[in-house]
Amino acid sequence: MSRPLVADIDLDALRHNYMLARDLAPDSQAVAVLKADAYGHGAIPCARALEDLAPALAVASIEEAVTLREAGIATPVLLLEGIFETSELELVDRHGLWLTVHSEWQIEALLSFRPRQPIPTWLKVDSGMHRLGFSPDRVETLWRRLQSATAQVTDLHLMSHFATADSLQPEYFHRQMQLMKMLSERLGAPTCLANSPATLAWPQAHGAWNRPGVMLYGSDPLEAANGASRALKPVMTLRSRIIAVQELATGEPVGYGGRWRAPRPSRVGVVACGYGDGYDRHAIDGTPVLVEGQPTCIAGKVSMDMLTVDVTDIPNAAIGSPVVLWGRADNGAVLSIDDVARYCDTISYTLLTGVLPRVPRRYHGNRA
């Protein structure tokens, strides 16, 4: 019998979340972001589940794009960080990829290249995130230069990234938005601005294209949920089983360092899941878990291959009882990965992308 820890991937939920992103912005197109192996869900199965819905996909690197092409995915693929060296332009051309440019050397390389067909190109603006992109005062000159390079460039767009679209204090978002609106109007440029939080909460950011990412996988990126984000469905359910039960007297410790001590006569379930699987070692006592579809919590430090949960108030919990670390239980109860992340002092992105390869992914849904 195999170890019971699996990551169940609900491709119907993925499609639901993509269609929600699309429906929130009916005048925009939505590029589905599949970087980091589709946020830990498996880029190839997720791309196949979305290829009849999404007019374009996005990844971080040429390696991620080539992986999709070699799997037979023909949908346009945007390189969010562009090329990392000039030689990659040959692969961009061969595989019909779309290109982001954010640095002078990338533009020089592109304009010196002779592609078989002009390359759809998105010019990245640093509107305030201060990671990648050109200073706004350089954008018009670069836009005109790219626009005139018809042998190399086609379908030119402006692109930027918001730093605070998820925030309850969105003043900085409005500052970035105003800057991009001014540039777009001055140049007559189509835009791609909205990430997941802006797609969910800021219709004024919806452009020719939007870039939903983490919302596709059912995580709510907003500091305060709204009606749209509450409609998201979890795509990954990390599930396991209890492999042992310990009966403890009041005061008995559990796990390394004895951090948790039984406050009463207690039953503790040992679960096949640990930080060697990618579950966050920083999870504190009280981090929520579902056992037999009922809420309980972690009791004691997470170990490499196991963690322990308090099942004192779940009398039917026993060896073999199903455990949901995040996602949807068989009885329909949902444990939000965002809630788990807060107890781990991290974000859902870290938890999802941190699930390690030894955890089998099990796909279901009508595109599996």
Side-chain angles (χ1 to χ4, degrees):
M1 180 177 179
S2 60
R3 189 165 180 254
L5 180 66
V6 298
D8 271 336
I9 311 298
D10 183 351
L11 297 176
D12 286 337
L14 176 70
R15 289 167 61 84
H16 164 87
N17 296 335
Y18 178 84
M19 288 187 284
L20 174 65
R22 186 185 63 186
D23 293 346
L24 287 169
D27 296 324
S28 305
Q29 297 190 87
V31 54
V33 180
L34 300 181
K35 63 181 180 176
D37 200 27
Y39 291 59
H41 292 70
I44 292 170
C46 289
R48 287 174 176 156
L50 293 173
E51 61 185 339
D52 67 324
L53 295 176
L57 310 172
V59 297
S61 67
I62 196 81
E63 292 84 1
E64 292 180 335
V66 170
T67 295
L68 294 178
R69 286 289 185 259
E70 290 178 344
I73 304 299
T75 306
V77 178
L78 170 67
L79 299 177
L80 290 168
E81 297 177 27
I83 56 171
F84 294 89
E85 55 185 52
T86 301
S87 62
E88 292 178 2
L89 285 170
E90 294 286 352
L91 291 172
V92 171
D93 188 35
R94 183 188 313 165
H95 293 291
L97 306 178
W98 297 2
L99 189 62
T100 300
V101 290
H102 58 77
S103 298
E104 295 277 359
W105 76 266
Q106 291 176 327
I107 290 180
E108 295 305 324
L110 175 59
L111 297 185
S112 299
F113 185 63
R114 293 293 178 265
R116 292 171 297 177
Q117 297 291 332
I119 298 169
T121 302
W122 293 16
L123 178 65
K124 185 109 182 226
V125 182
D126 179 7
S127 61
M129 186 76 164
H130 300 319
R131 293 191 312 189
L132 299 180
F134 293 98
S135 171
D137 61 6
R138 294 278 294 125
V139 169
E140 184 167 358
T141 298
L142 296 170
W143 176 270
R144 302 298 183 199
R145 192 175 176 203
L146 289 168
Q147 197 174 43
S148 66
T150 55
Q152 291 85 10
V153 174
T154 188
D155 199 22
L156 190 59
H157 283 66
L158 283 182
M159 180 183 186
S160 195
H161 195 65
F162 294 120
T164 62
D166 59 334
S167 176
L168 292 172
Q169 298 178 319
E171 293 81 7
Y172 200 68
F173 161 78
H174 290 300
R175 174 177 158 184
Q176 287 187 269
M177 186 66 237
Q178 184 60 35
L179 173 61
M180 293 307 302
K181 181 180 179 183
M182 178 189 68
L183 284 173
S184 173
E185 290 177 351
R186 182 193 307 163
L187 300 174
T191 61
C192 178
L193 306 177
N195 51 7
S196 286
T199 299
L200 288 163
W202 298 109
Q204 63 267 48
H206 298 167
W209 289 87
N210 298 330
R211 299 188 311 277
V214 77
M215 68 172 289
L216 298 182
Y217 308 98
S219 172
D220 183 352
L222 301 177
E223 285 189 0
N226 64 13
S229 69
R230 291 188 191 97
L232 295 169
K233 295 183 178 181
V235 176
M236 180 190 290
T237 295
L238 187 64
R239 63 174 79 247
S240 189
R241 292 187 180 274
I242 289 178
I243 60 172
V245 177
Q246 301 291 344
E247 304 276 352
L248 301 181
T250 302
E252 285 295 304
V254 170
Y256 289 114
R259 184 181 71 185
W260 187 87
R261 291 180 178 271
R264 55 180 173 165
S266 301
R267 300 174 71 239
V268 171
V270 181
V271 180
C273 179
Y275 63 78
D277 303 296
Y279 193 89
D280 200 313
R281 182 177 176 273
H282 300 98
I284 62 173
D285 296 334
T287 301
V289 176
L290 298 177
V291 175
E292 295 282 358
Q294 300 175 60
T296 186
C297 59
I298 284 178
K301 289 184 179 179
V302 175
S303 302
M304 180 178 285
D305 307 304
M306 292 170 279
L307 55 82
T308 43
V309 297
D310 184 357
V311 294
T312 309
D313 295 326
I314 307 176
N316 60 328
I319 293 175
S321 287
V323 177
V324 167
L325 287 310
W326 62 69
R328 187 181 300 277
D330 290 341
N331 67 353
V334 173
L335 175 54
S336 167
I337 192 170
D338 302 298
D339 289 340
V340 176
R342 280 187 280 273
Y343 280 84
C344 299
D345 193 25
T346 189
I347 55 176
S348 64
Y349 305 68
T350 304
L351 298 182
L352 290 171
T353 59
V355 178
L356 294 172
R358 81 165 178 174
V359 180
R361 272 63 168 175
R362 185 169 63 191
Y363 296 91
H364 55 95
N366 67 10
R367 302 287 293 183

